[in-house]
């Protein structure tokens, strides 16, 4: 089945009791059993829920995997993956990734004796250099948040396989419409379903997609034992969001390209981070492993003062100043004080994330209106 058809039909089965075409919201905590141990496959809603089951099936289909698992947030999905490990195990992660992932690793799991190495994954040699007998997991994100660096998933997967290490890719920025890491050799895909999958800024949710049955069973055991499961209403919202994912990502990518070009030629802009530019260091790999470049763009002004950046950040109207991304409406964000504030300043600067970097989540509005909005804010910063 082609992707655009998958988004509409994945996980969708008429409800057996009524024929309802949309999966009902099974708002229940438990299920009546016919006799002790005799049930319809549903015992208690932390372990099974039909709305969640439909969503998990859809997630697997659209990510080209065999099994999906839904969690109460993106970080809860990440948390479940790290709980596969034990004290002394080592993880290789990117030095440029979502701030909340860094916080979970460094502030929560490090104290349980798991060792994290943060490297520049733009160069596979850097990953290979820290592999040792204790390395169990590589955690990658591509494109990265917020510097839009590209990691070669296929090369990373080959390196991981050769060393019997698991590879998990945070595919939040690309979404399953633009990139499918399992087809490139990854073992697990993680999503903050809060972002493009739901698409309407109305739900917090996470997801994992896996091919290996044993790995799926281990993660399912963690999901039900630790209990970070999403409610049925939220599962319904993400199922609904997925139906338009293909169309939305097409428009996000179109608008993203127009705005990236506009910013690049602008005399007041110093640098634009977007993998669709031919001179972007990861462009060739992005073009090979992605079906589009999406709607995420970061940039820096020529004027490197924080004051000028703040004028842009407060000067837009269509771009709302907010954390998060991937909704139909455009957002503007200041990573240093917002999404990435949990990363120590020294670390941030060392990895290229300046105090004045501005990140855009380009929505699906009219591109001309979005440009006019940005232009007005950039002009404000010049005075
Ligand atoms: C938002 C985000 C997360 C965390 O997901 P939540 O749903 O907020 O818990 C992880 N990775 C990336 C790339 C994100 O943008």
């Amino acid at each position: 089945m082609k992707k655009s058809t998958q988004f509409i039909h994945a996980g969708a089965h008429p409800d057996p009791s009524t024929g309802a075409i949309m999966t009902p919201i099974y708002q229940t905590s438990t299920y009546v059993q016919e006799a002790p141990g005799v049930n319809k496959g549903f015992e208690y809603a932390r372990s099974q829920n039909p709305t969640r089951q439909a969503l998990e099936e859809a997630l697997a289909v659209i990510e080209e995997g065999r099994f999906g698992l839904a969690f109460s947030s993106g970080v809860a999905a990440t948390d479940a993956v790290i709980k596969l490990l034990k004290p002394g195990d080592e993880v290789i992660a990117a030095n440029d990734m979502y701030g909340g992932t860094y916080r979970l690793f460094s502030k929560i799991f490090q104290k349980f004796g798991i060792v994290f190495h943060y490297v520049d994954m733009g160069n596979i040699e850097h990953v290979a250099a820290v592999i040792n007998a204790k390395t169990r997991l590589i955690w990658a994100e591509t494109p990265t948040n917020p510097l839009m660096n590209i990691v070669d998933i296929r090369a990373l997967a080959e390196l991981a396989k050769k060393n019997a290490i698991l590879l998990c890719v945070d595919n939040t920025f690309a979404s399953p419409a633009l990139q499918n890491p399992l087809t490139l050799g990854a073992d697990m895909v993680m999503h903050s379903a809060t972002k493009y999958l739901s698409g309407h800024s109305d739900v917090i949710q996470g997801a994992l997609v896996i091919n290996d049955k044993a790995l799926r069973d281990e993660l399912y055991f963690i999901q039900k034992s630790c209990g970070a499961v999403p409610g049925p209403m939220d599962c319904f919202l993400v199922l609904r969001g997925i139906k338009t994912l293909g169309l939305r990502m097409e428009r996000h990518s179109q608008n993203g390209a127009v705005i990236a070009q506009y910013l690049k030629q602008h005399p007041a802009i110093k640098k634009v981070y977007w993998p669709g530019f031919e001179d972007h260091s990861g462009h060739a790999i992005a073009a090979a492993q992605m079906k589009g470049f999406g709607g995420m763009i970061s940039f820096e002004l020529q004027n490197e003062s924080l004051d000028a950046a703040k004028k842009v950040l407060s000067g837009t109207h269509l771009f709302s100043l907010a954390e998060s991304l991937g909704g139909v409406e455009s957002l503007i964000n200041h990573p240093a004080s917002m999404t990435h504030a949990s990363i120590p300043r020294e670390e941030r600067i060392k990895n290229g994330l300046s105090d004045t970097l501005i990140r855009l989540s380009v929505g699906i509005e009219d591109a001309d209106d979005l440009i006019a909005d940005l232009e007005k804010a950039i002009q404000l910063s010049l005075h």
Side-chain angles (χ1 to χ4, degrees), residues 71-78 97-101 139 141-145 170-173 190-195 203-207 296 324-325 339-340 359:
F71 291 84
S72 54
S73 67
V75 292
T78 305
M97 59 180 185
Y98 175 66
T101 306
W139 184 274
E141 188 181 305
T142 183
T144 64
N145 181 359
D170 180 339
N171 200 27
T172 301
F173 264 39
M190 174 267 167
H191 279 282
S192 169
T194 311
K195 316 295 168 53
V203 63
I204 295 283
Q205 197 175 106
M296 297 303 298
S324 201
L325 61 107
T339 43
H340 291 67
R359 190 189 79 182

Side-chain angles (χ1 to χ4, degrees), residues 3-245:
K3 278 244 107 51
S4 52
T5 312
Q6 284 180 355
F7 295 130
I8 315 295
H9 292 281
H13 308 290
D15 180 54
S17 59
T18 63
I21 189 164
M22 287 302 139
T23 307
I25 300 165
Y26 283 91
Q27 194 74 50
T28 190
S29 61
T30 192
Y31 308 87
V32 177
Q33 311 204 5
E34 285 153 41
V38 183
N39 58 60
K40 299 180 165 68
F42 298 93
E43 293 151 304
Y44 184 60
R46 177 158 32 77
S47 307
Q48 310 98 357
N49 177 285
T51 318
R52 191 172 97 217
Q53 196 170 299
L55 171 64
E56 290 178 338
E57 187 187 327
L59 290 167
V61 171
I62 65 175
E63 241 338 336
E64 309 289 339
R66 289 178 64 207
F67 307 103
L69 291 170
F71 291 84
S72 54
S73 67
V75 292
T78 305
D79 175 272
V81 172
I82 305 302
K83 284 175 178 160
L84 292 166
L85 310 180
K86 57 182 193 318
D89 285 348
E90 298 195 3
V91 179
I92 305 172
N95 63 4
D96 162 31
M97 59 180 185
Y98 175 66
T101 306
Y102 176 82
R103 182 174 58 197
L104 179 65
F105 291 178
S106 62
K107 296 279 168 49
I108 305 287
F109 281 112
Q110 197 175 304
K111 70 180 182 219
F112 290 103
I114 295 170
V115 178
F116 296 90
H117 300 274
Y118 302 98
V119 305
D120 169 7
M121 290 197 178
N123 183 342
I124 294 291
E125 298 299 307
H126 294 156
V127 180
V130 288
I131 290 178
N132 63 50
K134 291 181 182 155
T135 312
R136 287 280 324 277
L137 174 73
I138 298 174
W139 184 274
E141 188 181 305
T142 183
T144 64
N145 181 359
L147 289 170
M148 307 303 294
N149 287 316
I150 299 295
V151 178
D152 186 339
I153 299 173
R154 202 187 291 276
L156 211 51
E158 274 167 22
L159 182 67
K161 287 242 149 48
K162 207 171 68 191
N163 292 279
I165 299 167
L166 291 170
L167 170 63
C168 184
V169 177
D170 180 339
N171 200 27
T172 301
F173 264 39
S175 92
L178 302 184
Q179 179 171 274
N180 302 115
L182 296 180
T183 64
L184 301 165
D187 299 289
M188 291 170 272
V189 173
M190 174 267 167
H191 279 282
S192 169
T194 311
K195 316 295 168 53
Y196 286 112
L197 283 174
S198 96
H200 294 74
S201 309
D202 52 10
V203 63
I204 295 283
Q205 197 175 106
L208 295 175
V209 185
I210 318 99
N211 273 329
D212 184 73
K213 176 74 165 67
L215 188 56
R216 180 266 171 204
D217 289 349
E218 258 187 277
L219 288 164
Y220 171 68
F221 183 78
I222 292 167
Q223 183 198 40
K224 80 170 179 187
S225 302
C226 300
V229 291
M233 174 79 190
D234 289 353
C235 293
F236 173 87
L237 286 171
V238 176
L239 270 170
R240 180 176 169 143
I242 288 172
K243 297 208 184 275
T244 55
L245 182 66

Side-chain angles (χ1 to χ4, degrees), residues 205-368:
Q205 197 175 106
L208 295 175
V209 185
I210 318 99
N211 273 329
D212 184 73
K213 176 74 165 67
L215 188 56
R216 180 266 171 204
D217 289 349
E218 258 187 277
L219 288 164
Y220 171 68
F221 183 78
I222 292 167
Q223 183 198 40
K224 80 170 179 187
S225 302
C226 300
V229 291
M233 174 79 190
D234 289 353
C235 293
F236 173 87
L237 286 171
V238 176
L239 270 170
R240 180 176 169 143
I242 288 172
K243 297 208 184 275
T244 55
L245 182 66
L247 271 178
R248 285 188 283 111
M249 292 314 294
E250 258 177 62
R251 181 63 170 257
H252 282 298
S253 296
Q254 279 167 14
N255 279 358
V258 172
I259 288 182
Q261 303 290 354
Y262 151 76
L263 289 169
K264 190 169 189 160
Q265 55 75 45
H266 202 294
I269 307 294
K270 188 174 83 180
K271 186 163 167 63
V272 185
Y273 301 82
W274 181 64
F277 291 134
E278 276 174 25
D279 60 0
H280 182 289
S281 62
H283 177 74
I285 293 162
Q289 71 188 14
M290 299 175 76
K291 297 189 193 86
F293 302 109
M296 297 303 298
I297 301 167
S298 295
F299 66 95
E300 277 155 3
L301 300 170
Q302 289 287 3
N303 181 340
E304 292 175 27
S305 73
L306 191 54
D307 192 45
K310 281 184 177 165
K311 281 183 179 159
V312 174
L313 286 155
S314 316
T316 54
H317 290 287
L318 292 177
F319 283 87
S320 302
L321 179 63
E323 297 199 10
S324 201
L325 61 107
V328 290
E329 62 287 300
S330 293
L331 299 180
I332 190 164
N333 170 284
H334 182 226
S337 72
M338 296 167 71
T339 43
H340 291 67
S342 52
I343 301 175
R345 184 170 183 274
E346 264 166 61
E347 283 289 310
R348 263 199 295 109
I349 305 282
K350 200 173 72 194
N351 301 331
L353 203 177
S354 72
D355 287 332
T356 55
L357 187 85
I358 296 172
R359 190 189 79 182
L360 301 177
S361 172
V362 178
I364 64 170
E365 301 96 330
D366 184 275
D368 292 341

